[in-house]
Amino acid sequence: GAEEPVQFNGFDTQSEASMHSSGVASASFGVATRGPVGEFNLCWSLNAEATAIGIGNLTITGPRATNTTCVLGLPCTVTVTGVGLRAANWIGVFTGSACESGQAVTDPGWV
Protein backbone atom coordinates (compact mmCIF):
# COMPACT_ATOMS: atom_id res chain seq x y z
CA GLY A 1 0.00 0.00 0.00
CA ALA A 2 0.88 3.65 -0.21
CA GLU A 3 2.78 5.33 2.62
CA GLU A 4 0.92 7.94 4.67
CA PRO A 5 2.13 11.51 3.96
CA VAL A 6 4.28 13.06 6.67
CA GLN A 7 3.18 16.34 8.29
CA PHE A 8 6.02 18.86 8.38
CA ASN A 9 5.81 21.49 11.13
CA GLY A 10 5.44 24.89 9.52
CA PHE A 11 4.07 23.75 6.17
CA ASP A 12 0.38 24.26 5.45
CA THR A 13 -0.23 20.83 3.90
CA GLN A 14 1.02 17.29 4.24
CA SER A 15 3.87 16.34 1.95
CA GLU A 16 2.97 14.50 -1.22
CA ALA A 17 5.70 12.40 -2.81
CA SER A 18 5.47 10.95 -6.27
CA MET A 19 7.72 8.89 -8.51
CA HIS A 20 7.70 9.77 -12.18
CA SER A 21 8.17 7.12 -14.86
CA SER A 22 11.53 8.68 -15.79
CA GLY A 23 12.97 7.75 -12.38
CA VAL A 24 12.62 11.27 -11.02
CA ALA A 25 11.00 11.64 -7.60
CA SER A 26 9.42 14.83 -6.30
CA ALA A 27 7.87 15.91 -3.02
CA SER A 28 5.49 18.82 -2.50
CA PHE A 29 5.50 20.25 1.03
CA GLY A 30 2.95 23.02 0.49
CA VAL A 31 3.54 26.58 1.69
CA ALA A 32 5.82 27.29 4.66
CA THR A 33 3.67 29.50 6.90
CA ARG A 34 5.60 29.42 10.18
CA GLY A 35 8.76 28.08 11.72
CA PRO A 36 12.44 28.86 11.52
CA VAL A 37 14.23 30.15 8.43
CA GLY A 38 17.65 28.98 7.32
CA GLU A 39 19.28 25.97 5.77
CA PHE A 40 18.06 22.45 6.47
CA ASN A 41 19.16 18.95 5.44
CA LEU A 42 17.27 17.35 2.58
CA CYS A 43 17.17 13.58 3.12
CA TRP A 44 16.01 10.49 1.25
CA SER A 45 15.36 6.91 2.29
CA LEU A 46 14.15 3.74 0.64
CA ASN A 47 11.03 3.83 2.85
CA ALA A 48 9.82 5.31 6.15
CA GLU A 49 11.62 2.63 8.21
CA ALA A 50 14.97 2.75 6.36
CA THR A 51 17.94 4.91 7.35
CA ALA A 52 17.82 8.32 5.67
CA ILE A 53 20.81 9.75 3.82
CA GLY A 54 21.58 13.36 3.07
CA ILE A 55 21.00 14.39 -0.54
CA GLY A 56 21.30 18.15 -0.31
CA ASN A 57 20.05 21.26 1.41
CA LEU A 58 16.73 23.08 1.58
CA THR A 59 16.84 26.81 2.29
CA ILE A 60 13.73 28.43 3.77
CA THR A 61 13.94 32.19 3.23
CA GLY A 62 12.06 34.84 5.17
CA PRO A 63 12.23 36.87 8.36
CA ARG A 64 13.25 35.56 11.76
CA ALA A 65 10.60 36.02 14.47
CA THR A 66 11.01 39.17 16.53
CA ASN A 67 9.16 41.01 19.29
CA THR A 68 9.44 44.78 19.52
CA THR A 69 8.02 47.34 21.91
CA CYS A 70 7.46 50.97 20.98
CA VAL A 71 6.52 53.85 23.28
CA LEU A 72 3.96 56.51 22.37
CA GLY A 73 5.66 59.83 21.70
CA LEU A 74 9.02 58.28 20.84
CA PRO A 75 10.37 57.12 17.47
CA CYS A 76 9.68 53.46 16.75
CA THR A 77 12.10 51.40 14.67
CA VAL A 78 11.60 47.72 13.97
CA THR A 79 14.65 45.81 12.79
CA VAL A 80 13.98 42.55 11.00
CA THR A 81 16.66 39.96 10.25
CA GLY A 82 16.31 36.82 8.22
CA VAL A 83 17.43 34.81 5.22
CA GLY A 84 17.04 36.09 1.67
CA LEU A 85 15.34 39.37 2.59
CA ARG A 86 15.00 41.90 -0.24
CA ALA A 87 14.31 45.60 -0.61
CA ALA A 88 10.86 44.82 -2.09
CA ASN A 89 9.74 43.01 1.11
CA TRP A 90 7.10 44.72 3.21
CA ILE A 91 6.60 45.10 6.98
CA GLY A 92 3.19 46.04 8.35
CA VAL A 93 1.45 46.46 11.69
CA PHE A 94 -1.84 44.64 12.19
CA THR A 95 -4.41 44.46 14.96
CA GLY A 96 -5.65 41.08 16.13
CA SER A 97 -3.83 37.86 16.80
CA ALA A 98 -2.67 37.17 13.23
CA CYS A 99 -1.78 39.16 10.12
CA GLU A 100 -4.34 37.41 7.91
CA SER A 101 -7.22 37.88 10.37
CA GLY A 102 -6.37 41.35 11.67
CA GLN A 103 -6.78 44.84 10.29
CA ALA A 104 -3.83 46.83 8.95
CA VAL A 105 -3.01 49.81 11.18
CA THR A 106 -3.21 52.95 9.03
CA ASP A 107 -3.71 55.51 11.79
CA PRO A 108 -2.70 58.98 10.50
CA GLY A 109 -1.23 59.58 13.98
CA TRP A 110 1.83 57.58 12.87
CA VAL A 111 4.32 60.05 11.44
Side-chain angles (χ1 to χ4, degrees), residues 30-55:
V31 178
T33 58
R34 63 188 179 285
V37 297
E39 194 167 284
F40 301 89
N41 294 314
L42 193 57
C43 301
W44 174 90
S45 69
L46 185 60
N47 57 48
E49 290 78 35
T51 301
I53 61 169
I55 59 170

Side-chain angles (χ1 to χ4, degrees), residues 4 7 15 33 59 74 84 87-88 107:
E4 285 294 314
Q7 179 67 44
S15 69
T33 58
T59 302
L74 298 176
D107 189 318

Side-chain angles (χ1 to χ4, degrees), residues 19-109:
M19 180 62 114
H20 305 282
S21 60
S22 62
V24 176
S26 64
S28 175
F29 298 116
V31 178
T33 58
R34 63 188 179 285
V37 297
E39 194 167 284
F40 301 89
N41 294 314
L42 193 57
C43 301
W44 174 90
S45 69
L46 185 60
N47 57 48
E49 290 78 35
T51 301
I53 61 169
I55 59 170
N57 297 313
L58 170 68
T59 302
I60 305 286
T61 61
R64 288 191 171 86
T66 184
N67 294 312
T68 303
T69 300
C70 294
V71 177
L72 286 174
L74 298 176
C76 177
T77 301
V78 176
T79 302
V80 175
T81 61
V83 175
L85 301 181
R86 300 176 183 185
N89 295 155
W90 179 82
I91 299 171
V93 178
F94 285 75
T95 62
S97 61
C99 297
E100 63 274 5
S101 62
Q103 188 72 13
V105 175
T106 56
D107 189 318

